[in-house]
Amino acid sequence: MEDAYARSASEVLEFFSVDPTRGLTDFQVAEHGRSYGKNVLPQEKSTPFWRLVLKQFDDLLVKILIVAAVVSFLLALANGETGLSAFLEPSVILMILAANAAVGVITETNAEKALEELRAYQADVATVLRNGCFSILPAPDLVPGDIVEVSVGCKIPADMRMIEMLTDQLRVDQAILTGESCSVEKELDATNVTNAVYQDKTNILFSGTVVVSGRARAVVVGVGSNTAMGNIRDSMLNTEDEATPLKKKLDEFGTFLAKVIAGICILVWIVNIGHFRDPAHGGFLRGAIHYFKIAVALAVAAIPEGLPAVVTTCLALGTKRMARLNAIVRSLPSVETLGCTTVICSDKTGTLTTNMMSVSKVSVLHSANVVPVVAEYTVSGTTYAPEGTISDSRTDVQLGLPANFHCLLHTAMCSALCNESVIQYNPDKRSYEKIGESTEVALRVLAEKIGLPGFDSMPSALNMLSKHERASYCNRYWENQFKKISVLEFTRDRKMMSVLCNRKQIQIMFSKGAPESILPRCTNIMCNDDGSTVHLTSEIRAEIESKFHSFAGNETLRCLALALKRMPLGQQALSFDDEKDLTFIGLVGMLDPPRAEVRDAILSCMTAGIRVIVVTGDNKTTAESLCRRIGAFDHLDDFSGLSYTASEFEKLPATQKTMALQKMTIFTRVEPSHKRMLVESLQHQNEVVAMTGDGVNDAPALKKADIGIAMGSGTAVAKSASDMVLSDDNFATIVAAVAEGRAIYNNTKQFIRYMISSNIGEVVCIFVAALLGIPDTLVPVQLLWVNLVTDGLPATAIGFNKPDSDVMKAKPRKVNEAVVSGWLFFRYLVIGVYVGLATIAGFVWWFLYSDNGPKLSYTELVNFDTCSTRETSYSCNVFSDKHPSTVSMTVLVVVEMFNALNNLSENQSLLVIPPWSNLWLLGSILLTMLLHVLILYVAPLSALFSVAPLSWSEWTVVLYLSFPVIIIDEILKFFSRSSRGTSFNLRLRRMDLLPKQEVYAK
């Protein structure tokens, strides 16, 4: 029944044909069970493991690698190779792909846990009226029409319509669903609000929420998927994960690379068709296979096999650094996404605020004989910890012993005695926790901050207690001093609560409640300076009311008034008639305070070009007041045009919605569907959205956002749906994580460029060798070794480059920004061409000039394939010597080590950022060279990689050919720093290595 909130209780009961005094019959239960289903969230079919594994290979770059591995294996078999040499290359490629697939499968399974966690918020049992009798039944057995009784501490078992109040009021904590900071009072009357959101449905008890006070009966109107929790589940199921900006760029790169590889391979094959019949190949077919093998070698050279592994490793290293910042990353790609975040949609309660109601202001009568007559005190401390000070608001002087002031002392007494809540210390979480109403807990904490009278060493004495004892030490003192005799519970019409206490033959009634209820019942008022009681004159009453309106209006504090009355000795019970002729003690104003560090964090976001939108289920006035209190929005005169409720936003025409989204700062009275809608709308405007949240209600939006950020103290559902969890629940941590994300992306960009320029060199080497007609410069297994080890280790170490000092002063990069484009592409093309030519030069040098070589002429070298058909002064076996390819491979390795040093910075010279600024890079270069020396000089390995030991003269030539890459890049960096580099960038802006895509389909 979807509109139960708009119908009267009798209409709902009639709809389900249920008698509220007897409940459903067994026959009706069976009928309703068949019609509406069971009260459980359906078990969602999990994706089969084999399907998850196959999904990881549904990537163009991965498919190219698989094809290369299979072709390599078939060619090896066609050439008669057996054993390790035939399987080495395809095996290594497949091992890399398997490792990356494993990471992907783990990430996929994490996403499905969110749906499982949602079931934890379903109640286990319910007190149900059936056949005229109450019984406790499993919650899954509930059906629509069941009459259920709920009381304090009960978890609501299904969506239910209130039909009877068994106490004066019923309050429910539904923060996990709506994000409201305070518990909500429920009522019986029908709601006539158009387009009602969850907050407007005040007669509905939502599944999974908790009763914090009162007792009532309700009729079940929704079970299983037809509940508020069920709607959240459906929303999460319908939300597809967005590809991260880097993933999109790598996908584009894969598509681009596939075209380039296919084109080059076909071109090389076609260019050499005339050589298919050369006698050296033993026939046309074998010649075709030989040059096809060269084409495959080109494919291996062009594909950066180590790129997926290096990206994963670098992001994993980033997650460790972020963990030290209290940001626990659950999804590796989200590390990079942080770097281009343009909008942070921040939940208010618990993220910008502490989610702990605390008293911030106390107002009392100073003295009837002075001006101003009203004294105001500021209370510090924003958590449930009994830590904080009380200061005079006018002079800003801290009170050393607050309990020595009479009104403050009686405020502490009333706060401790007129109270049903509990505060305790949780040693596991190392924090203070509440049991009961947050407003009552705030009063308990206030009593602890005021302390006890008569002890000069009171503050230090309290600090010597253990945290467990300190939690309620002062409250317990007053509870032991006063014996509670009778209690008048809070009622909606009175809006107050009273308790009768006895102490040393004196009976006192303490009262607390809404100021508009307490003040009219007061005839006297207590003076703070001497403890005397004076008549509450109209002038003093006006002062108190003015202070109340100031607290509740401008400062949007939740206000309570405290009062007392001397009662006749021996009275054992209270009546409503006793609540008159009271003595006013004081006025307390409380709020869910903003975190102290939030202001600077939001200002940092603004400096970095990141917009913050405050999203909350609370009302508009409360949210706007919080933003003013934070201080980060002081530059805004007012919030008109910047602050919208969900219903206001939905009523806007499409064009105005677009404009509103570009300026919006506050979004209030939202429910889960609105949060998800906000994320989607921003994404359609090409924004990269980070969404924070902690409740079940936040899960769909967290999953939909480019990066979902859950609070460490939040619900398990929110954490499972998120990409990152803040262990300290602190908005400021997000800003630190964004800075880290930007630094990680910059480093990621550097090593991607490094690997691409290296692969360009390998392609140039093989392509030019094929065009010149010289023997195979490098064999596929050597290329594979260079791509995985030689490129992989330094590329990973580049991830440790120190971040730029102004990383948070730059605007977020655009989503469609190419990783390598324009002038940079030209730079790395130049570097790549040099790497390729230097590699070929080493190969040619050995044949033509090396003392250990045959010293052939260039003509003899390019006609090597006809050696067996003509007379020569040298053996044809010289062309199968391992030394020339070893020199080439070594030049390729060493030149790339120097090129790795070039990538310490995109544009800064090595004279400014020296190599030792990244010791990890120097270590990786040293390790790479040791591994290379190992395969050169250890017999089994040298045979496996078709290499031979090099002499000192050969190493000298290698260094001569390799070092110039540093000089070339220093020149290119110089142009990058000059206006000429800028002009190149303008002329070559269309030359993107990774093609741009202006708008991504969301």
Side-chain angles (χ1 to χ4, degrees):
M1 190 177 186
E2 294 183 359
D3 63 344
Y5 65 91
R7 300 194 186 191
S8 66
S10 57
E11 286 180 295
V12 176
L13 292 168
E14 185 180 347
F15 179 85
F16 291 111
S17 305
V18 58
D19 181 350
T21 62
R22 296 193 56 80
L24 296 176
T25 64
D26 291 338
F27 176 76
Q28 286 177 307
V29 170
E31 281 290 311
H32 290 192
R34 282 192 290 271
S35 301
Y36 301 106
K38 295 198 71 176
N39 184 33
V40 291
L41 292 177
Q43 182 79 35
E44 187 60 29
K45 277 188 177 180
S46 60
T47 308
F49 181 76
W50 62 269
R51 194 183 295 275
L52 281 177
V53 173
L54 287 180
K55 185 179 178 182
Q56 310 312 313
F57 295 93
D58 187 19
D59 180 90
L60 190 56
L61 197 58
V62 171
K63 289 174 182 175
I64 294 171
L65 280 171
I66 292 173
V67 170
V70 171
V71 171
S72 175
F73 178 66
L74 293 176
L75 289 175
L77 292 181
N79 281 348
E81 296 179 26
T82 57
L84 187 60
S85 60
F87 290 97
L88 179 65
E89 185 179 323
S91 298
V92 172
I93 292 175
L94 294 176
M95 281 170 61
I96 296 165
L97 296 179
N100 279 285
V103 173
V105 169
I106 292 170
T107 304
E108 293 276 342
T109 51
N110 280 340
E112 294 187 355
K113 288 180 182 176
L115 297 172
E116 293 297 322
E117 298 284 4
L118 202 55
R119 295 188 179 85
Y121 292 90
Q122 292 181 287
D124 297 322
V125 294
T127 303
V128 188
L129 177 64
R130 287 182 181 173
N131 301 310
C133 298
F134 276 101
S135 57
I136 297 176
L137 298 176
D141 291 348
L142 288 180
V143 296
D146 264 327
I147 306 296
V148 178
E149 186 170 305
V150 295
S151 57
V152 177
C154 283
K155 187 181 287 185
I156 306 299
D159 280 8
M160 305 190 293
R161 168 65 162 87
M162 296 268 291
I163 60 171
E164 184 181 0
M165 199 83 75
L166 301 177
T167 54
D168 293 318
Q169 69 162 352
L170 183 85
R171 298 189 71 85
V172 177
D173 181 356
Q174 54 187 41
I176 65 166
L177 184 66
T178 62
E180 292 165 291
S181 55
C182 298
S183 61
V184 178
E185 186 176 346
K186 294 296 181 178
E187 54 190 28
L188 299 176
D189 299 335
T191 302
N192 296 318
V193 178
T194 308
N195 298 324
V197 295
Y198 290 142
Q199 294 92 324
D200 297 324
K201 300 175 184 178
T202 52
N203 52 28
I204 300 292
L205 305 179
F206 295 106
S207 175
T209 60
V210 179
V211 178
V212 295
S213 71
R215 192 162 65 95
R217 286 179 189 165
V219 58
V220 175
V221 295
V223 295
S225 296
N226 295 317
T227 61
M229 287 292 178
N231 291 338
I232 290 174
R233 169 190 170 274
D234 294 341
S235 181
M236 290 170 67
L237 283 175
N238 294 331
T239 300
E240 295 182 3
D241 292 330
E242 288 287 318
T244 69
L246 182 61
K247 178 67 166 63
K248 291 173 183 176
K249 285 293 156 196
L250 291 178
D251 287 345
E252 289 178 29
F253 176 55
T255 305
F256 175 72
L257 198 60
K259 296 174 183 177
V260 170
I261 290 170
I264 291 176
C265 290
I266 293 171
L267 183 61
V268 168
W269 207 60
I270 292 173
V271 165
N272 286 284
I273 286 179
H275 296 286
F276 286 3
R277 297 184 183 277
D278 288 349
H281 303 311
F284 183 86
L285 182 59
R286 285 192 170 275
I289 291 175
H290 173 78
Y291 286 104
F292 186 64
K293 191 172 182 180
I294 291 177
V296 171
L298 258 177
V300 174
I303 301 172
E305 288 89 350
L307 182 58
V310 173
V311 170
T312 301
T313 305
C314 227
L315 294 179
L317 292 171
T319 65
K320 285 191 174 183
R321 289 199 293 271
M322 292 173 77
R324 290 197 291 270
L325 300 172
N326 296 316
I328 312 301
V329 176
R330 298 183 65 256
S331 170
L332 284 182
S334 64
V335 175
E336 175 271 332
T337 310
L338 275 167
C340 57
T341 298
T342 58
V343 177
I344 298 176
C345 296
S346 176
D347 192 37
K348 177 185 78 71
T349 306
T351 309
L352 298 178
T353 68
T354 62
N355 196 21
M356 298 181 188
M357 192 67 74
S358 65
V359 174
S360 64
K361 293 287 181 70
V362 178
S363 182
V364 298
L365 177 68
H366 178 62
S367 173
N369 304 318
V370 297
V371 178
V373 297
V374 176
E376 182 182 309
Y377 296 100
T378 302
V379 185
S380 69
T382 57
T383 68
Y384 292 143
E387 301 161 0
T389 60
I390 299 176
S391 305
D392 190 314
S393 297
R394 191 165 53 88
T395 62
D396 203 27
V397 175
Q398 181 180 323
L399 305 185
L401 297 170
N404 288 350
F405 292 81
H406 294 276
C407 287
L408 292 180
L409 175 65
H410 285 80
T411 295
M413 290 182 192
C414 188
S415 298
L417 298 168
C418 205
N419 204 313
E420 299 294 328
S421 69
V422 176
I423 185 168
Q424 61 187 18
Y425 181 72
N426 186 328
D428 296 329
K429 295 182 180 179
R430 297 181 180 179
S431 63
Y432 293 89
E433 296 179 339
K434 67 165 186 170
I435 299 175
E437 270 291 325
S438 55
T439 53
E440 292 198 335
V441 175
L443 291 177
R444 288 230 181 258
V445 176
L446 175 63
E448 296 297 329
K449 291 175 181 177
I450 292 174
L452 301 175
F455 300 97
D456 291 340
S457 60
M458 175 47 58
S460 58
L462 288 175
N463 291 335
M464 293 174 67
L465 299 171
S466 69
K467 290 184 181 293
H468 178 73
E469 292 174 314
R470 181 68 188 92
S472 296
Y473 186 85
C474 298
N475 281 274
R476 283 197 301 270
Y477 173 84
W478 293 120
E479 288 170 345
N480 291 332
Q481 288 290 312
F482 288 88
K483 178 185 176 184
K484 285 188 184 181
I485 300 172
S486 177
V487 177
L488 273 182
E489 295 288 352
F490 183 96
T491 59
R492 290 182 62 195
D493 54 343
R494 288 164 47 246
K495 294 184 179 178
M496 62 182 294
M497 169 191 180
S498 297
V499 57
L500 179 62
C501 302
N502 178 283
R503 178 180 187 245
K504 297 179 181 178
Q505 300 302 305
I506 297 175
Q507 293 203 172
I508 301 177
M509 180 183 72
F510 290 100
S511 299
K512 74 169 185 195
E516 61 267 28
S517 296
I518 294 286
L519 260 175
R521 300 170 191 264
C522 294
T523 55
N524 300 303
I525 187 167
M526 181 180 289
C527 295
N528 195 39
D529 59 346
D530 58 6
S532 62
T533 299
V534 298
H535 178 65
L536 182 56
T537 64
S538 58
E539 291 81 8
I540 297 175
R541 189 184 298 272
E543 286 278 351
I544 297 294
E545 288 178 346
S546 174
K547 185 61 68 175
F548 162 54
H549 292 308
S550 174
F551 281 4
N554 298 336
E555 301 183 54
T556 60
L557 301 179
R558 184 171 184 178
C559 295
L560 286 177
L562 308 178
L564 59 79
K565 180 181 180 181
R566 187 80 173 264
M567 303 298 291
L569 189 63
Q571 183 171 335
Q572 296 298 310
L574 288 177
S575 67
F576 296 149
D577 291 334
D578 292 322
E579 293 179 325
K580 62 184 179 181
D581 299 325
L582 305 179
T583 298
F584 187 83
I585 299 173
L587 186 71
V588 296
M590 57 186 72
L591 77 162
D592 180 8
R595 294 177 179 273
E597 58 282 341
V598 163
R599 178 182 180 276
D600 291 339
I602 292 180
L603 290 174
S604 293
C605 285
M606 292 177 178
T607 304
I610 301 171
R611 187 155 57 101
V612 178
I613 300 177
V614 178
V615 183
T616 177
D618 273 340
N619 63 58
K620 192 173 184 178
T621 306
T622 302
E624 289 178 359
S625 173
L626 171 79
C627 289
R628 290 192 181 94
R629 192 173 285 113
I630 287 172
F633 302 98
D634 291 345
H635 61 289
L636 303 174
D637 296 329
D638 59 60
F639 289 105
S640 56
L642 305 175
S643 176
Y644 296 89
T645 64
S647 57
E648 287 172 349
F649 182 76
E650 287 184 324
K651 290 175 185 175
L652 293 175
T655 53
Q656 290 186 30
K657 276 186 180 178
T658 302
M659 296 294 293
L661 280 170
Q662 294 172 357
K663 297 181 179 179
M664 184 185 289
T665 301
I666 304 171
F667 196 42
T668 55
R669 300 296 282 176
V670 299
E671 58 183 38
S673 60
H674 295 132
K675 292 186 176 185
R676 188 170 182 270
M677 175 271 293
L678 176 64
V679 171
E680 288 178 339
S681 301
L682 288 168
Q683 287 174 334
H684 284 141
Q685 292 193 358
N686 240 23
E687 304 280 8
V688 179
V689 185
M691 166 64 81
T692 75
D694 58 358
V696 173
N697 61 317
D698 299 317
L702 289 174
K703 190 175 180 186
K704 178 63 181 173
D706 295 289
I707 173 164
I709 306 171
M711 302 298 109
S713 63
T715 61
V717 179
K719 292 177 189 175
S720 296
S722 67
D723 302 299
M724 190 172 84
V725 178
L726 302 184
S727 60
D728 60 357
D729 291 11
N730 196 333
F731 182 84
T733 302
I734 300 173
V735 180
V738 168
E740 186 65 34
R742 289 186 173 191
I744 289 169
Y745 176 75
N746 289 341
N747 291 341
T748 302
K749 207 162 52 168
Q750 284 299 98
F751 70 65
I752 288 176
R753 291 169 184 164
Y754 163 69
M755 297 187 85
I756 289 173
S757 63
S758 298
N759 283 83
I760 290 173
E762 294 167 18
V763 170
V764 167
C765 169
I766 294 173
F767 186 68
V768 171
L771 285 178
L772 295 177
I774 61 177
D776 296 345
T777 313
L778 297 166
V779 297
V781 70
Q782 293 172 340
L783 287 170
L784 200 61
W785 170 261
V786 171
N787 283 351
L788 292 177
V789 181
T790 305
D791 289 355
L793 291 175
T796 304
I798 288 171
F800 288 96
N801 284 351
K802 292 180 180 178
D804 296 335
S805 57
D806 60 348
V807 71
M808 283 300 284
K809 293 180 181 177
K811 301 300 180 187
R813 74 177 193 278
K814 294 181 180 178
V815 181
N816 56 1
E817 177 187 297
V819 178
V820 180
S821 61
W823 165 247
L824 281 174
F825 174 57
F826 174 77
R827 275 177 54 182
Y828 287 94
L829 188 62
V830 171
I831 295 293
V833 168
Y834 178 78
V835 169
L837 295 178
T839 305
I840 290 178
F843 186 85
V844 172
W845 169 84
W846 189 88
F847 278 105
L848 272 58
Y849 304 109
S850 174
D851 292 335
N852 300 325
K855 294 190 176 181
L856 308 177
S857 66
Y858 180 75
T859 305
E860 290 174 321
L861 178 61
V862 295
N863 292 307
F864 77 97
D865 48 358
T866 61
C867 177
S868 59
T869 61
R870 53 189 172 82
E871 290 187 11
T872 61
S873 59
Y874 53 88
S875 169
C876 291
N877 291 332
V878 73
F879 295 112
S880 59
D881 195 306
K882 294 179 180 179
H883 277 85
S885 65
T886 305
V887 172
S888 288
M889 182 183 177
T890 306
V891 168
L892 183 59
V893 169
V894 176
V895 77
E896 290 185 4
M897 293 304 98
F898 285 124
N899 192 28
L901 294 176
N902 288 333
N903 284 276
L904 280 167
S905 172
E906 184 176 307
N907 294 315
Q908 289 298 323
S909 167
L910 283 174
L911 298 176
V912 177
I913 301 179
W916 51 87
S917 64
N918 186 344
L919 295 177
W920 287 99
L921 181 57
L922 292 181
S924 69
I925 290 172
L926 179 62
L927 179 59
T928 301
M929 291 310 301
L930 286 174
L931 290 172
H932 185 67
V933 168
L934 198 66
I935 66 168
L936 292 186
Y937 296 99
V938 176
L941 292 175
S942 60
L944 185 64
F945 288 97
S946 299
V947 292
L950 296 182
S951 66
W952 177 246
S953 62
E954 289 167 334
W955 274 106
T956 304
V957 171
V958 166
L959 290 172
Y960 278 140
L961 290 172
S962 303
F963 184 76
V965 76
I966 294 236
I967 299 171
I968 293 171
D969 200 52
E970 284 293 310
I971 295 170
L972 293 171
K973 283 180 178 180
F974 173 77
F975 282 113
S976 292
R977 295 191 298 270
S978 69
S979 58
R980 187 179 178 186
T982 306
S983 65
F984 271 130
N985 188 33
L986 292 172
R987 289 200 296 270
L988 298 172
R989 64 185 183 278
R990 294 292 177 189
M991 294 180 60
D992 292 346
L993 182 60
L994 307 189
K996 289 185 178 179
Q997 182 176 337
E998 291 302 325
V999 180
Y1000 292 106
K1002 294 289 181 183

